Amino acid sequence: MMKLKTLVIAALLVAATACAHGSANGSAKKEEEKPKEPSADSVEAIRKRAAFELGCATDQLQVSVIEAGDMWRPWTFGVAGCDKRATYLYRMGTIINNSQMPK
């Protein structure tokens, strides 16, 4: 009976160690996969959308990354121009205005 308890405890320790090791490597791998710069297509799409919503020419808009996204989280962009500002979320081709727009 004592050997069985020892074996069960040893198996649980090995399993817990393997899980902890796997999740540590997984999070490091996720960081490596995260692009440091947004794609040119995403910035252009944000610029066009903001030009329409803010009533401002695309060449007068400054687009900046507020928060880089990854596979699970959207990119957050800030757009400023023509004395207006807006925040947009971008993920996989979908753009969401994350600002309160004046009426």
Side-chain angles (χ1 to χ4, degrees):
M1 186 69 160
M2 186 64 144
K3 285 186 179 181
L4 181 61
K5 284 183 181 178
T6 304
L7 286 174
V8 169
I9 291 172
L12 289 173
L13 287 174
V14 168
T17 303
C19 287
H21 181 68
S23 65
N25 284 343
S27 63
K29 188 173 184 176
K30 288 176 191 169
E31 285 296 319
E32 292 172 10
E33 293 172 3
K34 186 175 179 180
K36 295 179 182 176
E37 296 293 324
S39 70
D41 290 341
S42 65
V43 173
E44 187 59 26
I46 293 291
R47 188 181 307 279
K48 286 179 182 178
R49 172 80 176 264
F52 174 77
E53 291 183 349
L54 299 177
C56 190
T58 56
D59 62 342
Q60 294 180 330
L61 295 174
Q62 296 289 334
V63 179
S64 57
V65 175
I66 295 173
E67 184 175 353
D70 58 24
M71 189 175 217
W72 297 271
R73 294 178 314 177
W75 285 78
T76 305
F77 290 93
V79 182
C82 300
D83 295 323
K84 299 174 187 173
R85 294 168 29 143
T87 306
Y88 293 90
L89 302 177
Y90 180 90
R91 183 166 183 266
M92 298 173 60
T94 300
I95 301 170
I96 298 173
N97 185 324
N98 200 36
S99 303
Q100 291 183 339
M101 298 299 290
K103 295 182 180 185

